[in-house]
Amino acid sequence: MTQRLQSAMAKASQALTAAGVEGASRDASLLMAFALGLEPHQISLRLNNSLDPAQEAAFSAALSLRLDRVPMSHILGYRDFYEHRFIVTPDVLDPRPDTEALVSRALEYDFDNVLDLGTGSGCILLSLLAKNIYAHGVGVDQSAKAIAVAERNARALELSTRSEFIVSDWFSALPERRFDLIVSNPPYVHPNAMAGLSAEVLHEPELALTDQKDGLSHYRHIAEAAHRFLAPKGRLVFEIGFDQGGAVSDILAAQTYREIVVLPDFDGRARVVACLSLSR
């Protein structure tokens, strides 16, 4: 017996709620749109339509993944971030609304060229270039698979001519040059906090989440090395954990950065540290 969309989505929402998934109704609707090859807003016009066997099987398969707490972005293959849709795979960190605060802050500065350290999907760098149409940028990541995803996103957003992606462990493979702006969302989760992360987050690359040390080692490394890559009066902007503002500020001060500020995300939690380099 065939099911109607509305009935299938209601049952899916109940199952997701029972599994402890937040936003179960929203996820059920997105999964149905995915299974039917529709945009999410088109679902409401088809609630009384019946699912054929192939559609029902596709929806059931997508729902099973979500019940196993696979992130929605891994199922759908994308995540909307800032003003664009980005291709997402299990090889990259899932773009999060918190990180939009980093983009917004970085856009307050003047820059002709920008370096994104640990670029992942390229969402930070490409969002900056899309808004600053005269700028060029470089994204680096130690994962060749992540770089491949970033390059796909650059092509999709028609930004390939203004962006370059390099496989590199931070600065190691980067030719020495100067940037007006360096941005980074480095792995900052303390290893002791990993067990407390959501099941969805634990599907993401561990190397993109934690340094397996104290959550601060990458800030130390970048702060020390970035002087050689920042133009005079260049800016360095980090995403941080909500409780790391003081520690990261101290790291930057010890490396002679100036105008160090800790800024909140859209929920009022400390999320960004920005500073000025006088260069060396």
Side-chain angles (χ1 to χ4, degrees):
M1 180 178 178
T2 59
Q3 287 192 86
R4 296 195 178 198
L5 268 69
Q6 189 168 31
S7 174
M9 287 166 53
K11 292 177 182 176
S13 181
Q14 292 171 358
L16 290 168
T17 298
V21 175
E22 295 183 9
S25 178
R26 175 204 62 214
D27 284 6
S29 180
L30 288 171
L31 291 171
M32 182 62 76
F34 171 72
L36 272 56
L38 301 173
E39 288 296 318
H41 69 272
Q42 296 175 308
I43 288 296
S44 62
L45 303 176
R46 295 168 168 78
L47 293 177
N48 290 320
N49 290 9
S50 295
L51 294 169
D52 65 33
Q55 292 171 333
E56 192 162 358
F59 181 60
S60 178
L63 176 61
S64 293
L65 291 173
R66 191 68 187 106
L67 288 170
D68 286 340
R69 307 303 288 270
V70 174
M72 285 294 293
S73 62
H74 292 183
I75 301 170
L76 304 178
Y78 71 83
R79 174 74 72 183
D80 292 328
F81 175 85
Y82 208 69
E83 297 179 357
H84 302 281
R85 177 163 291 181
F86 289 88
I87 298 162
V88 174
T89 76
D91 298 310
V92 300
L93 196 67
D94 196 354
R96 290 176 170 77
D98 295 341
T99 304
E100 294 183 357
L102 170 61
V103 174
S104 295
R105 180 62 185 187
L107 286 168
E108 295 179 12
Y109 302 120
D110 293 327
F111 61 93
D112 293 324
N113 50 65
V114 54
L115 171 63
D116 180 17
L117 296 168
T119 194
S121 67
C123 66
I124 296 172
L125 176 65
L126 296 173
S127 295
L128 293 173
L129 295 182
K131 293 294 285 186
N132 185 341
I133 61 172
Y134 301 107
H136 290 72
V138 177
V140 304
D141 201 290
Q142 67 175 321
S143 167
K145 291 181 178 179
I147 289 295
V149 174
E151 290 174 336
R152 289 175 63 195
N153 280 315
R155 290 192 294 271
L157 297 175
E158 299 183 350
L159 290 169
S160 294
T161 59
R162 293 196 287 120
S163 61
E164 177 185 3
F165 294 96
I166 300 171
V167 178
S168 178
D169 185 3
W170 302 126
F171 300 98
S172 63
L174 186 66
E176 193 160 320
R177 54 183 285 196
R178 299 284 178 165
F179 294 89
D180 303 317
L181 176 67
I182 295 178
V183 295
S184 184
N185 177 18
Y188 58 70
V189 178
H190 193 287
N192 292 347
M194 288 290 289
L197 298 178
S198 71
E200 286 82 358
V201 172
L202 293 176
H203 277 85
E204 298 180 55
E206 186 173 311
L207 284 175
L209 295 169
T210 180
D211 61 358
Q212 292 293 2
K213 296 177 182 176
D214 63 354
L216 298 169
S217 65
H218 294 308
Y219 296 110
R220 295 188 191 96
H221 175 75
I222 293 170
E224 180 178 0
H227 289 293
R228 294 188 291 112
F229 294 87
L230 278 165
K233 296 187 178 179
R235 299 279 178 172
L236 177 59
V237 186
F238 283 126
E239 179 171 330
I240 60 167
F242 73 93
D243 58 350
Q244 293 176 319
V248 174
S249 295
D250 289 344
I251 289 169
L252 293 169
Q255 289 292 332
T256 72
Y257 291 90
R258 299 290 183 264
E259 298 183 19
I260 301 167
V261 291
V262 180
L263 301 155
D265 60 21
F266 304 121
D267 291 325
R269 297 168 297 190
R271 186 61 61 190
V272 174
V273 175
C275 63
L276 172 72
S277 173
L278 300 181
S279 222
R280 291 178 182 174

